Amino acid sequence: MGGGGQLTEPGEPGSGRDDGVYTWEEVQRHCNRNDQWMVIDRKVYNTTQWAKRHPGGFRVIGHYAGEDATEAFTAFHPDLKSVKKFLKPLLIGELAATEPSHDRNKNAAVIEDFNTLR
């Protein structure tokens, strides 16, 4: 997308990918403070730079680095329309069609708790 901004091209540089389609294994490699990706509704976002400016704090976002954050995102952002404008420039791709919607380590009880909270 160029221009020197923080927008990220699909297929993160150096990933060897240019189609913006990722597996959970690829997403889970981006799980530290200096390299954070997360999945929300099967879309893959690079939240590395945003985490420092996140109104809820960097720890909340960091907790979901390399993981599916759909339930937490939906539970803590009741005004989805206004929040999604912040997500758009962070979008780098989506999960491959062959990948499950949630990472394999996702606890069903946690998903239900977030649904209850929402």
Side-chain angles (χ1 to χ4, degrees), residues 8-58:
T8 307
E9 292 282 345
E12 189 71 4
S15 72
R17 303 293 296 265
D18 60 4
D19 59 0
V21 177
Y22 300 97
T23 64
W24 274 113
E25 184 179 346
E26 290 169 307
V27 170
Q28 290 168 342
R29 282 189 288 227
H30 301 273
C31 62
N32 64 63
R33 191 171 184 170
N34 297 314
D35 182 17
Q36 297 182 16
W37 290 9
M38 69 174 53
V39 174
I40 300 170
D41 292 326
R42 298 192 57 83
K43 302 289 186 201
V44 180
Y45 298 91
N46 182 339
T47 57
T48 306
Q49 296 302 314
W50 173 247
K52 298 171 189 140
R53 299 191 320 269
H54 182 247
F58 68 89

Side-chain angles (χ1 to χ4, degrees), residues 38-43 64 67-76 101-102 106 114 118:
M38 69 174 53
V39 174
I40 300 170
D41 292 326
R42 298 192 57 83
K43 302 289 186 201
Y64 290 96
E67 297 180 14
D68 179 75
T70 303
E71 286 79 22
F73 178 82
T74 305
F76 289 106
S101 291
H102 301 290
K106 196 77 161 189
F114 275 120
R118 187 171 47 242

